[in-house]
């Protein structure tokens, strides 16, 4: 009980203090829980929802949680206005309390209309086709919640509310009003990283998730950088059929060169297209299948003459890492450019995948899980291989402010028959989206260092294992704004490959080690798209190991560190 309150004003009349004197009283123990009233003949089902535990101290939060669970469960049977009251019977002699939960379902109602509001850009049908609570049907609380989550998973809105409105003079009908707050769905995808050796690296792309408010996706990437020239178009129609089968078409032409001059001077051109369909098998499960046609063209470059630090002689330097020379059958003489037995390969990849997504939001999830599995098989042409990967992501609401999330990814690829696994189908790790604190795609097996260099190019691997953990909260001072959040993270993992004949024992041991980092970051749903900024500190890394007999060529090269990274358009 509250005994008294006192208010005191400071001498300068700038502050005041309020003192509240309370008496806690005795602690009461729950002696029992009893259900009274009309429970629709489903008493056992309602009892399973009770969180109040006899024999333990009385807890007001458990009482509130139980009454809310009862009210929500009544809603699944059409009783939108059910009333549940917790009436305690207090025994002050023994300091116990018996809880009586009295239920009155009231009247059963059905939904007259679903009213959509706040969508100035998005068409009504884009929202309505995600609703599972239909007009002129019995009110169902579970279907209303599912409908709200499906709309949220579209990723087009920053806030979604569903209100039940009574209809005057019609006690057995209600209207559902769904109000949304739209976010900009056009995304300018920018990526950047900073390191002491290479300064700033950039990437660029443009996409529109909700073209003309239709719910369709259109992505266009045009990159004219020296290292990665890209022209690609991707379009997705999530309702290619009225039953919700989606269709994605992609066309692309990319030209890539090594970002680091120490990794060589070759050029790889990838061009092709694909089509994929997604078939929903339940409210949260979708099966994907598709096919593609692709070709990789290889230009080994011209090479150069460099001074061998060991012999002091000028020698011809191959412009191509050993792995690419082996795959394309390339050779080089002492004073000639690389020549290859084949300059291109082509293939027909078939894909099949599965996705299960029951997160409460695609924009800022606070609970639920996302699972993805994908299998890609090269069935025609020069590339015969199998590549598979699986991702598991789950969000745990600790409190209304804090959310804990985990993410795990594993992948494996191999050639079948007498074929060689395509090197450009390798997995990569490092940077945002995998292991922060390391330069993008820099981890895993390394190629043979080119002449005069201490580190070979990162070539990825046919095996992948990544784990991420994040704890996020609204940014201090931002209130309950869920579009701006502060997070701390832990990343671990690596990509792995089969041992190369050019790999020493020390290098092979280093390649198999797990890398890890910790750090903090900021995520913001900006007008340009989702932005993530991270500062990471590697806690498990490979440092350079020098050869005591040869100071020019270390036994093991160190990892490329990049502590500050940001990206617009990235995910977890």
């Amino acid at each position: 009980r509250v005994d008294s309150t006192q208010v005191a004003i400071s001498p300068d009349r700038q502050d005041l203090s309020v003192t509240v004197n309370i008496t806690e009283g005795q602690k009461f123990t729950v002696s029992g829980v009893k259900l009274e009233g009309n429970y629709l003949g489903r008493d056992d089902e309602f009892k399973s929802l009770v969180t109040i535990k006899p024999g333990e101290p009385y807890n007001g939060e458990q009482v509130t949680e139980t009454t809310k669970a009862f009210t929500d469960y009544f809603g699944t049977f059409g009783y939108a206005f059910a009333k549940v009251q917790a009436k305690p019977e207090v025994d002050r002699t023994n300091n116990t309390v018996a809880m009586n939960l009295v239920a009155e379902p009231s009247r059963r109602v059905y939904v007259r209309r679903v009213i959509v509001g706040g969508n100035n850009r998005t068409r009504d049908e884009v929202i309505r086709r995600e609703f599972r609570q239909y007009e002129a049907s019995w009110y169902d609380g579970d279907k209303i919640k599912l409908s709200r989550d499906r709309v949220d998973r579209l990723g087009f809105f920053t806030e979604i509310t569903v209100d039940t409105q009574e209809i005057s003079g019609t006690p057995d009908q209600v209207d559902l009003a769904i109000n949304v707050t739209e976010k900009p769905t056009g995304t300018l995808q920018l990526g950047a990283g900073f390191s002491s050796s290479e300064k700033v690296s950039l990437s660029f792309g443009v996409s529109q998730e909700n073209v003309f408010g239709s719910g369709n996706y259109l992505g266009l990437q045009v990159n004219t950088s020296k290292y990665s020239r890209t022209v690609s178009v991707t379009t997705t129609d999530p309702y290619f059929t009225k039953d919700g089968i989606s269709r994605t078409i992609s066309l692309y032409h990319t030209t890539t060169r090594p970002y680091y001059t120490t990794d060589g001077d070759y050029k790889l051109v990838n061009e092709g297209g694909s089509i994929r369909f997604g078939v929903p098998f339940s409210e949260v499960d979708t099966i994907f299948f598709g096919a593609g046609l692709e070709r990789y063209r290889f230009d080994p470059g011209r090479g150069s003459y460099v001074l061998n630090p060991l012999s002091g002689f000028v020698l011809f330097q191959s412009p191509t890492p050993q792995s690419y020379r082996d795959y394309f059958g390339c050779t080089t003489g002492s004073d000639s450019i690389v020549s290859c037995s084949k300059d291109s390969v082509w293939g027909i990849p078939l894909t099949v995948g599965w996705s299960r997504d029951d997160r409460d939001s695609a924009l800022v999830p606070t609970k639920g899980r996302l699972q993805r599995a994908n299998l890609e098989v090269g069935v025609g042409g020069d590339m015969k291989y199998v590549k598979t990967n699986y991702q598991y992501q789950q969000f745990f609401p600790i409190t209304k402010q804090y959310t804990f999330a985990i993410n795990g990814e594993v992948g494996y690829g191999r050639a079948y028959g007498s074929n060689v696994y395509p090197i450009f189908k390798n997995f990569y790790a490092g940077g945002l989206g995998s292991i922060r604190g390391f330069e993008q795609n820099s981890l895993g097996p390394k190629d043979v260092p080119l002449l005069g260099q201490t580190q070979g190019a990162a070539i990825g691997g046919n095996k992948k294992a990544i784990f991420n953990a994040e704890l996020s909260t609204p940014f201090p001072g931002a209130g309950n704004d869920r579009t701006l959040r502060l997070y701390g993270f832990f990343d671990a993992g690596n990509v792995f490959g089969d041992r190369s004949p050019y790999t020493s024992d020390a290098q092979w041991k280093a390649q198999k080690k797990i890398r890890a980092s910790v750090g903090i970051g900021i995520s913001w749903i900006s007008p340009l798209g989702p932005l993530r900024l991270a500062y990471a500190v590697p806690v498990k890394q490979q440092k350079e190991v020098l050869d005591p007999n040869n100071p020019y060529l270390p036994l093991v090269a160190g990892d490329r560190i990049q502590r500050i990274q940001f990206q617009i358009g990235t995910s977890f």
Side-chain angles (χ1 to χ4, degrees):
R1 68 175 182 271
V2 177
D3 296 322
S4 63
T5 58
Q6 294 91 34
V7 179
I9 302 177
S10 63
D12 59 3
R13 296 184 178 274
Q14 298 300 309
D15 302 289
L16 61 84
S17 61
V18 179
T19 303
V20 181
N21 298 297
I22 66 172
T23 298
E24 288 184 337
Q26 298 295 317
K27 182 181 291 188
F28 281 73
T29 302
V30 177
S31 60
V33 180
K34 185 168 61 174
L35 272 59
E36 296 182 358
N38 182 7
Y39 284 92
L40 311 177
R42 302 174 181 268
D43 294 45
D44 291 339
E45 297 175 24
F46 279 92
K47 286 179 181 179
S48 67
L49 302 176
V50 176
T51 59
I52 308 169
K53 299 178 181 179
E56 294 188 1
Y58 173 87
N59 188 320
E61 291 185 359
Q62 293 178 351
V63 176
T64 302
E65 182 181 339
T66 300
T67 56
K68 183 179 185 304
F70 279 19
T71 303
D72 292 343
Y73 197 55
F74 273 117
T76 63
F77 302 107
Y79 297 92
F81 305 108
K83 297 180 180 179
V84 180
Q85 290 182 308
K87 296 183 177 180
E89 294 181 1
V90 180
D91 182 352
R92 299 189 181 278
T93 303
N94 299 311
N95 289 339
T96 61
V97 57
M99 297 303 305
N100 297 322
L101 302 176
V102 183
E104 175 51 52
S106 188
R107 59 191 181 278
R108 193 179 187 190
V109 299
Y110 64 90
V111 176
R112 184 184 68 169
R113 288 190 302 166
V114 175
I115 304 169
V116 179
N119 54 321
N120 299 319
R121 174 182 175 83
T122 305
R123 301 173 189 174
D124 273 17
E125 66 170 332
V126 175
I127 299 174
R128 288 183 179 276
R129 66 192 183 192
E130 301 299 330
F131 250 69
R132 296 300 180 262
Q133 171 65 68
Y134 301 122
E135 296 178 336
S137 296
W138 289 115
Y139 179 100
D140 189 324
D142 283 348
K143 290 182 178 179
I144 293 172
K145 181 181 181 301
L146 174 62
S147 302
R148 186 248 172 234
D149 289 347
R150 287 181 61 90
V151 173
D152 205 348
R153 284 198 290 267
L154 291 173
F156 302 159
F157 313 108
T158 58
E159 187 176 351
I160 301 169
T161 59
V162 180
D163 297 321
T164 302
Q165 300 177 347
E166 297 188 57
I167 301 174
S168 178
T170 311
D172 62 345
Q173 296 183 27
V174 296
D175 287 340
L176 289 182
I178 176 170
N179 289 283
V180 299
T181 301
E182 294 181 312
K183 77 175 184 71
T185 53
T187 301
L188 175 64
Q189 296 175 319
L190 298 174
F194 180 84
S195 67
S196 58
S197 59
E198 297 295 330
K199 303 306 179 185
V200 177
S201 59
L202 299 171
S203 62
F204 170 80
V206 177
S207 65
Q208 174 60 258
E209 298 176 358
N210 188 15
V211 180
F212 307 120
S214 65
N216 293 353
Y217 170 85
L218 177 64
L220 172 64
Q221 288 191 339
V222 179
N223 196 331
T224 59
S225 77
K226 177 182 177 181
Y227 308 102
S228 177
R229 298 189 177 185
T230 303
V231 177
S232 69
V233 178
T234 302
T235 177
T236 299
D237 183 351
Y239 279 80
F240 176 63
T241 68
K242 292 183 179 181
D243 295 330
I245 296 177
S246 65
R247 182 196 63 189
T248 300
I249 299 176
S250 298
L251 298 172
Y252 52 87
H253 179 98
T254 64
T255 303
T256 56
R257 296 178 180 270
Y259 179 75
Y260 299 98
T261 57
T262 58
D263 292 345
D265 188 32
Y266 62 91
K267 180 172 67 176
L268 186 66
V269 179
N270 178 23
E271 51 198 2
S274 65
I275 184 170
R276 187 176 73 158
F277 296 93
V279 182
F281 277 79
S282 72
E283 296 295 347
V284 295
D285 292 283
T286 304
I287 300 295
F288 299 94
F289 61 91
L293 177 65
E294 58 185 358
R295 182 175 71 150
Y296 290 86
R297 290 190 289 114
F298 183 67
D299 181 355
R302 299 186 57 84
S304 60
Y305 292 91
V306 298
L307 178 66
N308 188 331
L310 300 179
S311 65
F313 294 104
V314 175
L315 299 176
F316 177 74
Q317 168 67 70
S318 170
T320 310
Q322 187 67 49
S323 298
Y324 281 89
R325 277 185 273 170
D326 292 345
Y327 186 78
F328 286 97
C330 302
T331 60
T332 180
S334 60
D335 58 354
S336 62
I337 64 173
V338 173
S339 61
C340 303
S341 61
K342 54 184 178 181
D343 62 355
S344 67
V345 293
W346 68 280
I348 301 176
L350 301 182
T351 59
V352 59
W354 164 75
S355 172
R356 169 173 288 181
D357 187 358
D358 61 3
R359 298 172 298 172
D360 60 341
S361 171
L363 196 62
V364 185
T366 59
K367 62 180 178 179
R369 64 176 63 89
L370 169 66
Q371 297 182 74
R372 294 192 185 107
N374 189 69
L375 173 67
E376 179 180 325
V377 182
V379 297
D382 304 310
M383 297 182 289
K384 306 291 181 61
Y385 64 94
V386 176
K387 182 180 179 181
T388 182
N389 62 279
Y390 172 74
Q391 179 184 16
Y392 181 90
Q393 199 174 97
Q394 185 159 0
F395 297 84
F396 304 90
I398 299 176
T399 66
K400 292 183 178 180
Q401 299 293 320
Y402 292 95
T403 300
F404 179 70
I406 59 173
N407 177 74
E409 298 179 56
V410 292
Y412 177 74
R414 64 180 297 271
Y416 60 86
S418 59
N419 296 275
V420 178
Y421 187 74
I423 186 174
F424 27 78
K425 292 294 182 179
N426 277 344
F427 298 101
Y428 289 87
L432 286 169
S434 60
I435 307 173
R436 288 157 282 199
F438 300 87
E439 292 192 2
Q440 200 74 28
N441 298 336
S442 66
L443 296 178
K446 304 292 192 296
D447 211 314
V448 180
L450 298 179
L451 188 61
Q453 305 300 330
T454 61
Q455 182 170 193
I459 57 175
N462 64 332
K463 307 177 191 70
K464 176 182 180 180
I466 301 292
F467 174 78
N468 313 100
E470 283 188 4
L471 179 64
S472 63
T473 182
F475 195 83
N480 293 323
D481 182 5
R482 68 173 188 164
T483 64
L484 180 61
R485 299 182 70 84
L486 177 70
Y487 63 90
F489 62 86
F490 169 77
D491 297 338
N494 206 344
V495 292
F496 313 91
D498 299 326
R499 183 169 181 173
S500 165
Y502 312 105
T503 303
S504 67
D505 291 340
Q507 292 169 339
W508 176 241
K509 183 178 179 180
Q511 290 178 11
K512 295 190 295 181
K513 290 182 178 179
I514 296 294
R515 307 297 196 264
S517 65
V518 297
I520 59 173
I522 299 172
S523 63
W524 176 38
I525 310 301
S526 73
L528 297 179
L531 178 149
R532 292 175 76 85
L533 171 68
Y535 176 80
V537 178
V539 295
K540 195 169 184 180
Q541 67 183 92
Q542 179 60 52
K543 296 184 179 181
E544 186 178 71
V545 179
L546 296 176
D547 186 346
N549 299 320
N550 186 351
Y552 296 99
L553 294 175
L555 287 175
V556 180
D559 292 330
R560 290 168 172 168
I561 304 303
Q562 196 174 64
R563 294 180 182 271
I564 300 176
Q565 296 169 321
F566 84 86
Q567 192 169 26
I568 295 179
T570 188
S571 58
F572 188 91

